[in-house]
Amino acid sequence: MSTAGAGPNLAALDQAAALPIDAEIWNQNLAAVAATDPPLAALLKSTSVPESWRSCAALDGSPAWRTERAGEPPAWLGGSAAPRTRAEGLFGGEAPPAANPLLPTIGSGHEAAFLLSRMAAHQAVFVVEPDAARVCAVLTVLDFAHAISAGRILFSGGREVGAWLLETLNATPGLLPPASILYADSIDSAAAEALRRSLESVSGKVLGRRHGRLEELRRTAARQEASPTPRILAVALTTESLAHETADELASAAQRIGWNAAAFALDAPSRTHPLALAEELTRLEPTLTVCVDHAAAKLPLASGGLEVQLILSPPIEPPSLGAGEFVLAASPAVRAAVGKSAEGGLLDFPWAASQAVVACDPPATRTHDVALLGDLPNDSETACGIDQPTHRMLWEHMRRAAKHWDAEAIAFPEALLRDAERTCKLALNEPELRRRMIRLIERVLVPAALLRAFAAVLDARGASGVGIGKGWTNRNSFSSVRAAVAAGVSARLAIGSLLPVGVTREMVDAMAAGWPPLIHCAPGRTFTEQTGGAFSQGGWKAAFSDAAGLAKGLAFLSDAAALARAATAVRQHALARHRWEQRLPELLEALKKRHASGIKST
């Protein structure tokens, strides 16, 4: 792709300031296209942006192009002098597309960029654009490299639409066809109707062919043959990144101990149609399939081996489990929540440390005093959807009550609600409304109150803190311990709570990182019962339930020698006791025994 020489001063044209070309954006975009669509890359390399086009800053500050053909008034590529704002106006007022959309033109490029910013990682935008110069222009000023590499945006690039869609979808069995045409009024009605017919025809052919292949795989599924080497497939068919990362951790750990293993997560457009997973099941023939946070019934075909569901966090409602489904509980809180729902059997399969944290030696000097573990929810009435004045009154009373975080009531949402009802002389009598309010108390109000209280204690002491989780808008934060460690961030201590979901990955990763954890526990049961003993070894007393206990734990910040010993002890404990490489062989052996004996529960 090439651009040509100097032209008129764009600053004088509708105040459109010239925008210097960043060659790196084009180079990275082209490299991504070359790796995923070589014919399109060849076309783009041989295409030049017309000399009469100029890159410039649009009126909303976004990168854009102006066309300045001789004898014609200047025009904006995509038809808007504020393309980013226009894209937000076009699509921002609606829910993100539930399925893959198709754009009938590349427009300014901001339309596709805005859609991608709102869509899930397993969704893709198909862009029909017959003019390769327009594609070149957009890829020169907008960074789509990651989206192109991940298969989240695909360009027709001048190819006949039906043939391009058919070729693309046949080459990627897990990619779903576009289900809707957005921005259809950007082309004339006849062209839009022809595009709809072509899309319907291609979708019918592709989905029919895939259905036939699925039926063939189900009919010809091979019977498992004995093998000395276990084969494990970790599957995560949810959209949650924690489930995806856990599936990857399990597969990687299995490979490290010499097993044949793979992970399959709903994390890319190429893995969305069930045929992609069916082909992987057929290829690997797993002796053990671990379904992370979903039922084995979601598998497109039976694996022929053992199938279990690993539940990472206690579900809000009792899970609906298939008859005979075997469940693995990542924490005692999960075990308690699942209870007798697991008719097929229940085993403890506690959290283990992330390999990325295990592999990184803790630095001698820490960047922060304390890491605050957990998502900090937005507990405002508006964010929680609480709009009735009486309900807002109850909510505000409970928020004030929860500031007394070391009171016993913090662990009992129903008690908090009853107290608010008595004080406000109100009652929530409708069963579903009451259940919803209790869920909000448990999953939003209580964790927000606890984490804010812990942060306030740190601030009062003048201790530096880093948030580990979502929602930490008022301080430095990272999505996870592993992300913090990768960024060179460390802490001398970590603070988290077992309310409301019990032991979390971040707590175990904090130990593996050498961040001695202070864990807030609920009254009524022992700390060991609530944690399964995960933090009871290594010479570190991690539990607290009130302000005095937290202050005692934070006192270690003044004892560097004791804190260094604790950091070594908790890391050694995590490496010795909390590794997926240890969990997996124990799990497989336990499952084989139970499968052979027919025992259903622990």
Side-chain angles (χ1 to χ4, degrees):
M1 192 278 300
S2 62
T3 59
N9 181 5
L10 294 182
L13 296 171
D14 297 341
Q15 299 179 340
L19 179 73
I21 294 293
D22 182 351
E24 193 60 24
I25 292 177
W26 165 255
N27 291 336
Q28 291 182 357
N29 281 334
L30 185 62
V33 173
T36 55
D37 191 346
L40 177 59
L43 174 63
L44 297 181
K45 283 181 182 178
S46 64
T47 300
S48 297
V49 173
E51 294 184 3
S52 59
W53 294 13
R54 296 289 182 269
S55 61
C56 58
L59 300 187
D60 61 1
S62 59
W65 285 87
R66 286 277 294 261
T67 62
E68 301 161 5
R69 298 181 180 92
E72 298 180 10
W76 294 89
L77 192 67
S80 174
R84 183 164 53 203
T85 302
R86 184 168 187 265
E88 293 171 359
L90 282 170
F91 306 123
E94 303 174 354
N100 293 343
L102 181 145
L103 291 174
T105 173
I106 199 169
S108 67
H110 289 279
E111 298 85 358
F114 182 72
L115 286 170
L116 287 171
S117 72
R118 303 183 72 215
M119 289 163 50
H122 65 280
Q123 293 178 280
V125 176
F126 291 75
V127 179
V128 173
E129 180 51 66
D131 187 348
R134 287 176 172 261
V135 179
C136 283
V138 167
L139 295 186
T140 300
V141 296
L142 294 180
D143 183 2
F144 283 108
H146 179 74
I148 294 169
S149 297
R152 297 194 66 219
I153 186 166
L154 305 105
F155 303 97
S156 66
R159 291 165 287 193
E160 194 278 321
V161 175
W164 166 65
L165 286 172
L166 200 59
E167 179 183 3
T168 300
L169 293 166
N170 284 339
T172 313
L175 178 63
L176 287 173
S180 61
I181 300 174
L182 302 183
Y183 197 26
D185 58 358
S186 61
I187 57 176
D188 66 64
S189 59
E193 181 57 31
L195 186 57
R196 288 190 186 93
R197 289 197 300 268
S198 179
L199 180 55
E200 288 175 2
S201 173
V202 169
S203 295
K205 291 176 183 177
V206 169
L207 295 179
R209 187 175 298 143
R210 290 179 183 178
H211 176 75
R213 175 59 176 163
L214 267 174
E215 291 303 309
E216 177 188 357
L217 292 176
R218 288 166 180 155
R219 288 194 306 269
T220 60
R223 184 179 297 275
Q224 288 279 333
E225 296 183 2
S227 170
T229 303
R231 301 181 299 273
I232 180 171
L233 181 62
V235 181
L237 298 181
T238 77
T239 58
E240 296 297 321
S241 60
L242 181 61
H244 299 171
E245 291 164 2
T246 302
D248 286 338
E249 288 281 351
L250 292 172
S252 297
Q255 292 169 357
R256 287 194 296 273
I257 58 177
W259 294 7
N260 294 326
F264 187 100
L266 190 61
D267 57 1
S270 61
R271 294 182 160 200
T272 306
H273 190 278
L275 181 57
L277 177 54
E279 297 283 11
E280 184 68 357
L281 283 162
T282 302
R283 180 194 70 80
L284 187 62
E285 294 185 4
T287 50
L288 172 63
T289 301
V290 180
C291 299
V292 184
D293 268 350
H294 63 80
K298 291 188 72 172
L299 297 175
L301 53 82
S303 68
L306 298 172
E307 297 171 354
V308 298
Q309 178 181 176
L310 169 60
I311 300 180
L312 302 180
S313 300
I316 294 174
E317 300 288 351
S320 177
L321 301 174
E325 183 165 7
F326 203 98
V327 173
L328 307 179
S331 71
V334 172
R335 169 181 277 274
V338 172
K340 296 181 180 179
S341 300
E343 297 178 359
L346 178 66
L347 270 179
D348 293 322
F349 191 60
W351 280 109
S354 300
Q355 181 60 23
V357 179
V358 169
C360 188
D361 292 330
T365 302
R366 305 302 170 93
T367 61
H368 293 77
D369 290 323
V370 178
L372 293 158
L373 308 178
D375 294 340
L376 180 60
N378 183 344
D379 61 348
S380 70
E381 293 94 337
T382 301
C384 294
I386 301 172
D387 48 18
Q388 296 291 333
T390 53
H391 301 167
R392 285 174 173 258
M393 190 183 303
L394 290 170
W395 189 255
E396 184 55 34
H397 177 86
M398 290 185 291
R399 289 182 72 189
R400 289 196 301 268
K403 290 180 180 179
H404 303 287
W405 63 271
D406 53 356
E408 188 170 315
I410 197 74
F412 302 100
E414 179 75 43
L416 283 171
L417 178 56
R418 285 198 302 267
D419 177 69
E421 289 173 315
R422 282 193 301 269
T423 303
C424 300
K425 295 181 172 56
L426 297 169
L428 290 182
N429 294 320
E430 201 281 311
E432 179 54 35
L433 180 60
R434 190 174 189 85
R435 281 194 294 271
R436 178 177 176 273
M437 183 66 78
I438 289 173
R439 287 197 296 268
L440 285 171
I441 296 167
E442 179 188 17
R443 297 300 175 103
V444 178
L445 189 146
V446 168
L450 288 169
L451 288 169
R452 275 200 298 264
F454 301 158
V457 171
L458 296 187
D459 293 341
R461 292 178 59 97
S464 60
V466 58
I468 302 295
K470 303 172 186 174
W472 292 98
T473 57
N474 62 341
R475 65 179 68 236
N476 191 25
S477 66
F478 293 86
S479 61
S480 62
V481 172
R482 57 199 276 173
V485 168
V489 170
S490 57
R492 301 171 68 202
L493 286 173
I495 300 177
S497 177
L498 295 174
L499 297 175
V501 298
V503 177
T504 65
R505 179 187 71 176
E506 305 314 319
M507 294 177 183
V508 178
D509 276 353
M511 284 199 300
W515 308 352
L518 300 171
I519 306 299
H520 170 257
C521 58
R525 293 190 299 149
T526 68
F527 182 61
T528 299
E529 288 174 330
Q530 294 179 63
T531 63
F535 307 97
S536 301
Q537 306 296 324
W540 173 252
K541 304 300 182 184
F544 72 94
S545 59
D546 54 27
L550 177 56
K552 183 178 179 181
L554 290 175
F556 276 89
L557 293 173
S558 302
D559 190 340
L563 203 53
R565 290 193 297 270
T568 300
V570 297
R571 176 169 166 81
Q572 289 178 345
H573 172 62
L575 270 56
R577 299 285 297 276
H578 300 295
R579 301 286 299 280
W580 292 119
E581 295 94 324
Q582 301 155 344
R583 299 269 196 269
L584 285 170
E586 295 169 357
L587 170 64
L588 192 57
E589 188 61 29
L591 288 173
K592 286 179 178 177
K593 288 180 180 178
R594 287 174 178 276
H595 186 71
S597 66
I599 297 174
K600 284 192 173 183
S601 61
T602 55

